[in-house]
Amino acid sequence: MDILREAWRRVAENNGAPGSDGEPIEAIEKTGVYKFLEELQGELVEESCRVQCVRRVYIPKPDGGRRPLGILTVKDRVVQQAVRLIIEPIFEADFQEFSYGYRPNRSAKQASLAVYKWLNYGLTEVVEVDIEGFFDHMNHQHLKAFLMERIADGYILKLITEWLRAGIVHLDTVTYPEEGTPQGGVISPLLANIYLNRLDEWWNELGMNQRSLHNAQLVRYADDIVIFTDKDATITLGILAELLTELGLRLKAEKTRVTNAHEGFDFLSFHFVRRYQKRHGKQVTYFYPSKEAAKNFRGKVRELTKKSIVHLRSVEQVIENLNLLILGWSNYFNHSTASKTYNSLQHYLEWKLRKFMAYKHQYRKVSLRHTGGDVLYRMGLMRLSGRIRYIYL
Protein backbone atom coordinates (compact mmCIF):
# COMPACT_ATOMS: atom_id res chain seq x y z
CA MET A 1 0.00 0.00 0.00
CA ASP A 2 2.88 2.40 0.68
CA ILE A 3 4.05 1.93 -2.92
CA LEU A 4 0.53 2.53 -4.27
CA ARG A 5 0.18 5.67 -2.13
CA GLU A 6 3.44 7.05 -3.50
CA ALA A 7 2.42 6.10 -7.05
CA TRP A 8 -0.89 7.95 -6.57
CA ARG A 9 0.91 11.01 -5.18
CA ARG A 10 3.12 11.26 -8.26
CA VAL A 11 0.26 10.72 -10.70
CA ALA A 12 -1.99 13.24 -8.93
CA GLU A 13 0.85 15.77 -8.84
CA ASN A 14 1.15 15.61 -12.64
CA ASN A 15 -2.64 16.08 -12.95
CA GLY A 16 -2.87 14.69 -16.47
CA ALA A 17 -5.91 14.54 -18.75
CA PRO A 18 -8.44 11.66 -18.54
CA GLY A 19 -7.71 8.48 -20.50
CA SER A 20 -10.01 6.39 -22.68
CA ASP A 21 -12.49 5.86 -19.82
CA GLY A 22 -13.01 9.62 -19.42
CA GLU A 23 -12.44 9.49 -15.64
CA PRO A 24 -10.37 12.44 -14.33
CA ILE A 25 -8.26 12.48 -11.19
CA GLU A 26 -10.82 14.76 -9.51
CA ALA A 27 -13.52 12.07 -9.80
CA ILE A 28 -11.37 9.58 -7.87
CA GLU A 29 -10.56 12.19 -5.23
CA LYS A 30 -14.27 12.87 -4.85
CA THR A 31 -15.22 9.21 -4.31
CA GLY A 32 -12.20 8.54 -2.09
CA VAL A 33 -8.54 7.90 -2.88
CA TYR A 34 -8.07 5.25 -0.17
CA LYS A 35 -11.05 3.28 -1.44
CA PHE A 36 -9.64 3.45 -4.99
CA LEU A 37 -6.19 2.27 -3.86
CA GLU A 38 -7.63 -0.47 -1.66
CA GLU A 39 -9.64 -1.88 -4.58
CA LEU A 40 -6.62 -1.59 -6.87
CA GLN A 41 -4.41 -3.39 -4.36
CA GLY A 42 -6.94 -6.22 -4.20
CA GLU A 43 -6.90 -6.59 -8.00
CA LEU A 44 -3.10 -6.62 -8.09
CA VAL A 45 -2.80 -9.19 -5.29
CA GLU A 46 -5.40 -11.41 -6.98
CA GLU A 47 -3.72 -10.75 -10.38
CA SER A 48 -7.06 -9.70 -11.86
CA CYS A 49 -6.10 -6.11 -12.80
CA ARG A 50 -6.66 -5.56 -16.53
CA VAL A 51 -5.05 -2.97 -18.78
CA GLN A 52 -7.36 -0.47 -20.54
CA CYS A 53 -7.05 1.17 -23.96
CA VAL A 54 -4.84 4.22 -24.49
CA ARG A 55 -6.29 7.48 -25.81
CA ARG A 56 -4.14 8.91 -28.59
CA VAL A 57 -3.71 12.62 -29.23
CA TYR A 58 -1.26 14.47 -31.46
CA ILE A 59 0.83 17.45 -30.44
CA PRO A 60 2.55 19.75 -32.98
CA LYS A 61 6.33 19.52 -33.48
CA PRO A 62 8.59 22.51 -34.28
CA ASP A 63 9.28 21.12 -37.77
CA GLY A 64 5.56 21.19 -38.61
CA GLY A 65 4.93 17.50 -38.01
CA ARG A 66 2.89 15.90 -35.23
CA ARG A 67 4.05 13.77 -32.32
CA PRO A 68 1.70 10.99 -31.14
CA LEU A 69 1.02 11.01 -27.41
CA GLY A 70 -0.70 8.20 -25.52
CA ILE A 71 -2.89 9.16 -22.55
CA LEU A 72 -3.48 6.25 -20.18
CA THR A 73 -6.36 5.95 -17.74
CA VAL A 74 -5.61 7.16 -14.22
CA LYS A 75 -5.77 3.57 -12.98
CA ASP A 76 -3.15 2.39 -15.47
CA ARG A 77 -0.96 5.40 -14.69
CA VAL A 78 -0.99 4.51 -10.99
CA VAL A 79 -0.17 0.84 -11.65
CA GLN A 80 2.59 1.79 -14.11
CA GLN A 81 4.06 4.20 -11.58
CA ALA A 82 3.97 1.50 -8.89
CA VAL A 83 5.70 -1.02 -11.16
CA ARG A 84 8.27 1.59 -12.11
CA LEU A 85 9.02 2.33 -8.44
CA ILE A 86 9.77 -1.37 -7.91
CA ILE A 87 11.76 -2.28 -11.02
CA GLU A 88 13.65 0.95 -11.77
CA PRO A 89 16.31 0.49 -9.04
CA ILE A 90 16.88 -3.08 -10.27
CA PHE A 91 17.65 -1.97 -13.83
CA GLU A 92 19.58 1.10 -12.67
CA ALA A 93 22.31 -1.30 -11.56
CA ASP A 94 22.86 -2.23 -15.23
CA PHE A 95 22.69 1.19 -16.87
CA GLN A 96 25.85 2.78 -18.23
CA GLU A 97 27.56 5.94 -17.03
CA PHE A 98 27.04 7.77 -20.36
CA SER A 99 23.23 7.39 -20.25
CA TYR A 100 21.55 10.49 -18.81
CA GLY A 101 17.89 10.64 -19.87
CA TYR A 102 14.95 9.94 -17.54
CA ARG A 103 17.08 8.47 -14.77
CA PRO A 104 17.17 9.32 -11.04
CA ASN A 105 19.78 11.98 -10.26
CA ARG A 106 20.62 12.37 -13.95
CA SER A 107 19.93 15.42 -16.10
CA ALA A 108 20.43 17.18 -19.41
CA LYS A 109 22.87 19.46 -17.58
CA GLN A 110 25.13 16.49 -16.83
CA ALA A 111 24.84 15.29 -20.43
CA SER A 112 25.80 18.74 -21.77
CA LEU A 113 28.83 18.87 -19.47
CA ALA A 114 29.88 15.40 -20.68
CA VAL A 115 29.76 16.72 -24.27
CA TYR A 116 31.81 19.75 -23.21
CA LYS A 117 34.38 17.44 -21.56
CA TRP A 118 34.88 15.17 -24.59
CA LEU A 119 35.24 18.12 -26.95
CA ASN A 120 37.91 19.59 -24.69
CA TYR A 121 39.69 16.21 -24.70
CA GLY A 122 40.15 16.63 -28.45
CA LEU A 123 37.37 14.32 -29.65
CA THR A 124 36.12 16.88 -32.15
CA GLU A 125 34.81 14.57 -34.90
CA VAL A 126 31.09 14.30 -34.19
CA VAL A 127 28.26 11.97 -35.19
CA GLU A 128 24.76 13.34 -34.64
CA VAL A 129 22.39 10.38 -34.36
CA ASP A 130 18.65 10.32 -34.97
CA ILE A 131 16.82 6.99 -34.58
CA GLU A 132 13.80 6.78 -36.86
CA GLY A 133 10.57 6.53 -34.84
CA PHE A 134 12.29 4.91 -31.87
CA PHE A 135 9.27 4.77 -29.54
CA ASP A 136 7.12 3.45 -32.40
CA HIS A 137 9.56 0.70 -33.44
CA MET A 138 10.81 -0.92 -30.25
CA ASN A 139 10.62 -4.67 -30.83
CA HIS A 140 8.34 -6.27 -28.21
CA GLN A 141 10.16 -9.62 -28.26
CA HIS A 142 13.56 -8.00 -27.75
CA LEU A 143 12.20 -5.85 -24.91
CA LYS A 144 10.53 -8.80 -23.20
CA ALA A 145 13.79 -10.76 -23.35
CA PHE A 146 15.66 -7.84 -21.76
CA LEU A 147 13.00 -7.58 -19.01
CA MET A 148 13.15 -11.30 -18.26
CA GLU A 149 16.86 -11.03 -17.49
CA ARG A 150 15.95 -9.12 -14.32
CA ILE A 151 12.25 -9.83 -13.64
CA ALA A 152 11.06 -13.30 -12.59
CA ASP A 153 7.51 -12.32 -11.56
CA GLY A 154 5.22 -13.56 -14.34
CA TYR A 155 2.37 -11.18 -13.48
CA ILE A 156 4.59 -8.09 -13.71
CA LEU A 157 5.85 -9.29 -17.10
CA LYS A 158 2.24 -9.91 -18.15
CA LEU A 159 1.19 -6.38 -17.14
CA ILE A 160 4.07 -4.79 -19.08
CA THR A 161 3.27 -6.93 -22.14
CA GLU A 162 -0.39 -5.83 -21.96
CA TRP A 163 0.65 -2.18 -21.72
CA LEU A 164 2.77 -2.60 -24.85
CA ARG A 165 -0.11 -4.22 -26.74
CA ALA A 166 -2.94 -2.10 -25.32
CA GLY A 167 -5.47 -0.86 -27.86
CA ILE A 168 -4.95 2.72 -29.09
CA VAL A 169 -8.13 4.76 -29.39
CA HIS A 170 -8.13 7.60 -31.93
CA LEU A 171 -11.33 9.14 -33.23
CA ASP A 172 -13.67 6.15 -33.68
CA THR A 173 -11.07 3.44 -34.28
CA VAL A 174 -9.05 1.10 -32.06
CA THR A 175 -5.73 -0.33 -33.25
CA TYR A 176 -3.49 -2.86 -31.51
CA PRO A 177 0.24 -2.19 -31.96
CA GLU A 178 2.69 -5.00 -32.69
CA GLU A 179 5.74 -2.89 -31.85
CA GLY A 180 6.64 0.26 -29.96
CA THR A 181 5.45 1.78 -26.70
CA PRO A 182 3.08 4.77 -26.23
CA GLN A 183 4.86 8.09 -25.68
CA GLY A 184 3.26 9.54 -22.59
CA GLY A 185 3.12 6.29 -20.64
CA VAL A 186 4.57 6.56 -17.13
CA ILE A 187 6.80 3.53 -17.65
CA SER A 188 7.75 4.26 -21.29
CA PRO A 189 10.98 6.21 -20.52
CA LEU A 190 12.24 3.36 -18.32
CA LEU A 191 11.38 0.78 -21.00
CA ALA A 192 13.25 2.92 -23.54
CA ASN A 193 16.36 2.95 -21.33
CA ILE A 194 16.12 -0.81 -20.77
CA TYR A 195 15.93 -1.33 -24.54
CA LEU A 196 18.78 1.02 -25.46
CA ASN A 197 20.94 -0.18 -22.58
CA ARG A 198 21.72 -3.19 -24.77
CA LEU A 199 23.13 -0.75 -27.34
CA ASP A 200 25.19 0.87 -24.55
CA GLU A 201 26.57 -2.51 -23.45
CA TRP A 202 27.51 -3.51 -27.00
CA TRP A 203 29.18 -0.13 -27.50
CA ASN A 204 31.32 -0.66 -24.39
CA GLU A 205 32.34 -4.14 -25.51
CA LEU A 206 33.29 -2.95 -29.00
CA GLY A 207 35.17 0.04 -27.57
CA MET A 208 37.46 -2.35 -25.70
CA ASN A 209 37.97 -4.69 -28.67
CA GLN A 210 37.85 -2.60 -31.85
CA ARG A 211 40.69 -0.25 -32.58
CA SER A 212 38.46 2.02 -34.68
CA LEU A 213 36.36 2.76 -31.57
CA HIS A 214 39.24 3.51 -29.19
CA ASN A 215 38.55 6.96 -27.75
CA ALA A 216 35.08 7.03 -29.36
CA GLN A 217 32.72 8.31 -26.68
CA LEU A 218 28.93 8.07 -26.75
CA VAL A 219 26.56 10.38 -24.85
CA ARG A 220 22.93 9.31 -24.74
CA TYR A 221 19.84 11.09 -23.42
CA ALA A 222 16.99 8.58 -24.02
CA ASP A 223 16.98 8.20 -27.82
CA ASP A 224 19.03 11.38 -28.42
CA ILE A 225 22.58 10.26 -29.12
CA VAL A 226 25.83 11.98 -30.07
CA ILE A 227 29.24 10.33 -30.54
CA PHE A 228 32.71 11.92 -30.31
CA THR A 229 35.93 10.56 -31.78
CA ASP A 230 39.37 11.62 -32.98
CA LYS A 231 39.25 9.16 -35.89
CA ASP A 232 37.16 8.76 -39.04
CA ALA A 233 33.61 9.38 -37.82
CA THR A 234 32.04 7.66 -40.84
CA ILE A 235 33.44 4.32 -39.63
CA THR A 236 31.95 5.00 -36.19
CA LEU A 237 28.58 5.79 -37.75
CA GLY A 238 28.64 2.53 -39.74
CA ILE A 239 29.29 0.49 -36.59
CA LEU A 240 26.46 2.22 -34.75
CA ALA A 241 24.06 1.56 -37.64
CA GLU A 242 24.89 -2.16 -37.48
CA LEU A 243 24.23 -2.26 -33.73
CA LEU A 244 20.88 -0.54 -34.16
CA THR A 245 19.94 -3.02 -36.89
CA GLU A 246 20.49 -5.83 -34.39
CA LEU A 247 17.85 -4.12 -32.21
CA GLY A 248 15.39 -3.77 -35.10
CA LEU A 249 16.04 -0.02 -35.38
CA ARG A 250 17.47 2.20 -38.09
CA LEU A 251 18.90 5.66 -38.47
CA LYS A 252 16.90 8.54 -39.88
CA ALA A 253 19.12 9.47 -42.81
CA GLU A 254 18.05 13.11 -43.17
CA LYS A 255 18.77 13.92 -39.50
CA THR A 256 21.85 11.76 -38.91
CA ARG A 257 25.11 13.39 -39.97
CA VAL A 258 28.87 13.43 -39.51
CA THR A 259 30.25 16.84 -38.59
CA ASN A 260 32.95 18.37 -36.39
CA ALA A 261 32.99 20.70 -33.44
CA HIS A 262 34.45 23.60 -35.48
CA GLU A 263 31.30 23.64 -37.63
CA GLY A 264 29.12 23.35 -34.53
CA PHE A 265 26.14 21.14 -33.73
CA ASP A 266 22.98 21.10 -31.60
CA PHE A 267 22.26 18.63 -28.79
CA LEU A 268 19.54 18.83 -26.12
CA SER A 269 18.71 22.43 -27.17
CA PHE A 270 22.35 23.54 -26.71
CA HIS A 271 24.63 24.62 -29.57
CA PHE A 272 28.23 23.41 -29.18
CA VAL A 273 31.14 24.90 -31.14
CA ARG A 274 34.95 25.08 -30.92
CA ARG A 275 36.51 28.50 -31.59
CA TYR A 276 39.89 30.13 -31.26
CA GLN A 277 40.10 32.30 -28.15
CA LYS A 278 42.79 34.95 -28.28
CA ARG A 279 43.00 35.29 -24.48
CA HIS A 280 44.00 31.64 -24.07
CA GLY A 281 45.76 31.38 -27.42
CA LYS A 282 43.99 28.12 -28.32
CA GLN A 283 40.73 26.53 -29.43
CA VAL A 284 38.10 26.40 -26.68
CA THR A 285 34.58 24.97 -26.44
CA TYR A 286 31.53 27.20 -26.21
CA PHE A 287 27.97 26.05 -25.70
CA TYR A 288 24.83 28.08 -25.36
CA PRO A 289 21.09 27.93 -26.22
CA SER A 290 20.50 26.84 -29.80
CA LYS A 291 18.73 29.09 -32.29
CA GLU A 292 15.69 26.83 -32.06
CA ALA A 293 15.66 27.12 -28.24
CA ALA A 294 15.86 30.93 -28.41
CA LYS A 295 13.09 30.95 -31.03
CA ASN A 296 10.87 28.83 -28.75
CA PHE A 297 11.54 31.21 -25.84
CA ARG A 298 10.45 34.20 -27.91
CA GLY A 299 7.35 32.30 -29.00
CA LYS A 300 6.38 31.65 -25.39
CA VAL A 301 6.95 35.30 -24.49
CA ARG A 302 4.70 36.35 -27.40
CA GLU A 303 2.03 33.94 -26.19
CA LEU A 304 2.18 35.29 -22.63
CA THR A 305 2.03 38.96 -23.70
CA LYS A 306 -0.29 38.81 -26.72
CA LYS A 307 -2.81 41.58 -27.25
CA SER A 308 -5.81 39.24 -27.06
CA ILE A 309 -5.29 38.53 -23.34
CA VAL A 310 -5.09 42.20 -22.29
CA HIS A 311 -8.59 42.05 -20.74
CA LEU A 312 -8.05 38.58 -19.24
CA ARG A 313 -4.76 39.05 -17.38
CA SER A 314 -3.45 41.76 -15.11
CA VAL A 315 0.13 43.01 -15.54
CA GLU A 316 0.99 41.27 -12.28
CA GLN A 317 -0.32 37.94 -13.60
CA VAL A 318 1.64 38.30 -16.83
CA ILE A 319 4.82 39.10 -14.89
CA GLU A 320 4.24 36.05 -12.69
CA ASN A 321 3.93 33.81 -15.77
CA LEU A 322 7.01 35.38 -17.37
CA ASN A 323 8.97 34.78 -14.17
CA LEU A 324 8.08 31.07 -14.28
CA LEU A 325 9.35 30.95 -17.87
CA ILE A 326 12.57 32.78 -16.93
CA LEU A 327 13.17 30.46 -13.96
CA GLY A 328 12.63 27.28 -15.93
CA TRP A 329 14.67 28.44 -18.90
CA SER A 330 17.57 29.82 -16.89
CA ASN A 331 17.74 26.74 -14.65
CA TYR A 332 18.26 24.67 -17.80
CA PHE A 333 20.87 26.92 -19.48
CA ASN A 334 22.57 28.74 -16.56
CA HIS A 335 25.76 26.64 -16.66
CA SER A 336 26.44 27.43 -20.35
CA THR A 337 28.09 30.39 -22.10
CA ALA A 338 24.67 31.93 -22.66
CA SER A 339 25.23 35.55 -21.61
CA LYS A 340 24.84 37.02 -25.15
CA THR A 341 21.69 35.00 -25.74
CA TYR A 342 20.33 36.03 -22.34
CA ASN A 343 20.95 39.72 -23.04
CA SER A 344 19.19 39.50 -26.41
CA LEU A 345 16.21 37.65 -24.97
CA GLN A 346 15.94 40.04 -22.03
CA HIS A 347 15.64 43.02 -24.39
CA TYR A 348 12.95 41.16 -26.33
CA LEU A 349 11.09 40.22 -23.15
CA GLU A 350 11.16 43.82 -21.86
CA TRP A 351 9.87 45.15 -25.20
CA LYS A 352 6.97 42.67 -25.32
CA LEU A 353 5.99 43.41 -21.71
CA ARG A 354 6.10 47.16 -22.35
CA LYS A 355 3.85 46.69 -25.39
CA PHE A 356 1.43 44.64 -23.27
CA MET A 357 1.35 47.41 -20.64
CA ALA A 358 0.75 50.02 -23.36
CA TYR A 359 -2.26 47.99 -24.61
CA LYS A 360 -3.46 47.43 -21.06
CA HIS A 361 -3.33 51.09 -20.01
CA GLN A 362 -4.29 52.39 -23.48
CA TYR A 363 -1.14 54.46 -24.02
CA ARG A 364 -0.95 55.81 -27.55
CA LYS A 365 2.54 54.34 -27.88
CA VAL A 366 5.02 52.37 -25.80
CA SER A 367 6.16 55.04 -23.36
CA LEU A 368 9.48 54.67 -21.54
CA ARG A 369 8.18 57.34 -19.16
CA HIS A 370 5.74 54.77 -17.79
CA THR A 371 7.65 51.54 -18.35
CA GLY A 372 11.32 52.49 -18.81
CA GLY A 373 14.34 52.09 -16.56
CA ASP A 374 13.85 49.68 -13.68
CA VAL A 375 10.06 50.06 -13.58
CA LEU A 376 9.45 46.49 -14.85
CA TYR A 377 11.84 45.06 -12.26
CA ARG A 378 10.39 47.11 -9.42
CA MET A 379 7.06 45.52 -10.40
CA GLY A 380 8.60 42.09 -9.79
CA LEU A 381 9.94 40.98 -13.18
CA MET A 382 12.99 38.73 -12.83
CA ARG A 383 16.15 39.42 -14.77
CA LEU A 384 17.41 36.88 -17.27
CA SER A 385 20.81 38.54 -17.67
CA GLY A 386 23.37 37.98 -14.94
CA ARG A 387 22.15 34.50 -14.01
CA ILE A 388 25.03 32.57 -15.63
CA ARG A 389 27.17 30.37 -13.35
CA TYR A 390 30.38 29.28 -15.10
CA ILE A 391 30.88 26.19 -12.98
CA TYR A 392 33.40 24.64 -15.36
CA LEU A 393 35.53 27.51 -16.68
Side-chain angles (χ1 to χ4, degrees), residues 132 137-139 142 179 195 243-250:
E132 186 169 1
H137 296 300
M138 286 169 52
N139 183 285
H142 287 334
E179 60 180 0
Y195 199 88
L243 297 179
L244 288 172
T245 301
E246 290 292 316
L247 289 171
L249 302 169
R250 63 182 181 181

Side-chain angles (χ1 to χ4, degrees), residues 353-364:
L353 182 57
R354 287 187 175 115
K355 283 187 71 175
F356 178 86
M357 292 174 68
Y359 293 139
K360 185 76 176 176
H361 299 296
Q362 298 182 346
Y363 302 143
R364 290 202 304 175

Side-chain angles (χ1 to χ4, degrees), residues 1-10 32-45 78-79 81-83 85-86:
M1 182 55 76
D2 59 331
I3 291 172
L4 288 176
R5 284 200 192 100
E6 175 60 18
W8 167 264
R9 185 190 68 78
R10 296 189 185 195
V33 173
Y34 185 76
K35 179 185 176 185
F36 167 76
L37 295 180
E38 201 172 38
E39 290 174 357
L40 183 55
Q41 184 187 41
E43 290 180 20
L44 291 168
V45 169
V78 172
V79 179
Q81 188 65 260
V83 170
L85 286 169
I86 295 167

Side-chain angles (χ1 to χ4, degrees), residues 116-186:
Y116 174 82
K117 176 181 72 173
W118 296 127
L119 292 176
N120 283 343
Y121 279 7
L123 306 182
T124 55
E125 297 302 307
V126 181
V127 180
E128 292 183 76
V129 179
D130 191 281
I131 301 175
E132 186 169 1
F134 168 67
F135 281 92
D136 295 328
H137 296 300
M138 286 169 52
N139 183 285
H140 289 176
Q141 294 305 314
H142 287 334
L143 179 56
K144 191 171 180 180
F146 302 153
L147 290 167
M148 289 174 70
E149 291 176 5
R150 282 292 195 172
I151 300 174
D153 189 308
Y155 185 60
I156 294 295
L157 290 169
K158 182 172 180 285
L159 278 175
I160 295 175
T161 301
E162 287 184 2
W163 285 324
L164 292 172
R165 296 175 179 172
I168 296 174
V169 180
H170 180 59
L171 300 178
D172 296 324
T173 61
V174 181
T175 56
Y176 294 89
E178 296 181 0
E179 60 180 0
T181 181
Q183 293 188 59
V186 175

Side-chain angles (χ1 to χ4, degrees), residues 203-222:
W203 184 264
N204 268 348
E205 291 171 12
L206 287 173
M208 291 185 286
N209 299 320
Q210 284 206 21
R211 192 172 180 180
S212 60
L213 287 184
H214 286 178
N215 286 339
Q217 301 293 336
L218 185 148
V219 176
R220 182 172 70 79
Y221 192 94

Side-chain angles (χ1 to χ4, degrees), residues 115 118-119 123-129 199 203 213 215-220 224-230 233 236-241 243-244 251 257-259 265 267:
V115 171
W118 296 127
L119 292 176
L123 306 182
T124 55
E125 297 302 307
V126 181
V127 180
E128 292 183 76
V129 179
L199 172 70
W203 184 264
L213 287 184
N215 286 339
Q217 301 293 336
L218 185 148
V219 176
R220 182 172 70 79
D224 289 324
I225 300 172
V226 66
I227 303 172
F228 306 93
T229 182
D230 54 2
T236 307
L237 177 58
I239 293 171
L240 180 76
L243 297 179
L244 288 172
L251 296 170
R257 70 181 186 123
V258 173
T259 184
F265 62 95
F267 182 61

